[in-house]
Amino acid sequence: MDGVRLLRLGKRLTDIGRDVVAHPASGNTLTPGEIAVVADVLKHPGSSVQDIRARTGFVQSHVSTSVQRLRERGLLEAAPDPADGRRTLLTLTDRARRAVHERATRPAEEAVAAALSDPAKARRVTELLDELADHLLP
């Protein structure tokens, strides 16, 4: 396998993975920007909008808009920074943490099957992906 084919495979797997974790059956869907903000706050609880902006590379207005929508939907909580009352620190709500966990643990078999027309091939691909993950993931 050459590098370009490996990159193409990686992108295809990323697309299938995104289909699994962003499945509309889970209810409220988020924009890619909102997903990035949630992922950042999950990794860095107690972050400010400026912190999120610096890590994601999004402009501040985009982060602020996403944060406001996520707060309105009950996915982010804001509290004043005890060290600097002018800053607001963000954390995920329990509801958001449960939703992240549910999406992250959703089985991928259905999405793999949707990507292939042959159920036997879909089962084999799923087996191979499990084996590949066992070898390559820590």
Side-chain angles (χ1 to χ4, degrees), residues 38-48 51-52 55 90-91:
V38 168
D40 187 78
V41 175
L42 178 66
K43 290 179 189 170
H44 309 281
S47 293
S48 70
D51 297 333
I52 298 166
R55 286 188 297 263
L90 302 162
T91 57

Side-chain angles (χ1 to χ4, degrees), residues 19-95:
D19 289 346
V20 174
V21 298
H23 193 279
S26 63
N28 297 330
T29 57
L30 302 177
T31 67
E34 290 168 343
I35 291 170
V37 169
V38 168
D40 187 78
V41 175
L42 178 66
K43 290 179 189 170
H44 309 281
S47 293
S48 70
V49 167
Q50 202 56 258
D51 297 333
I52 298 166
R53 183 210 57 76
R55 286 188 297 263
T56 62
F58 294 142
V59 296
Q60 183 167 342
S61 61
H62 180 73
V63 174
S64 294
T65 299
S66 294
V67 164
Q68 185 57 38
R69 284 194 305 250
L70 292 165
R71 287 182 66 192
E72 289 169 359
R73 293 169 78 175
L75 300 175
L76 285 182
E77 295 174 332
D81 183 344
D84 180 353
R86 297 169 295 174
R87 285 175 27 119
T88 301
L89 303 180
L90 302 162
T91 57
L92 293 183
T93 63
D94 288 339
R95 177 177 160 226

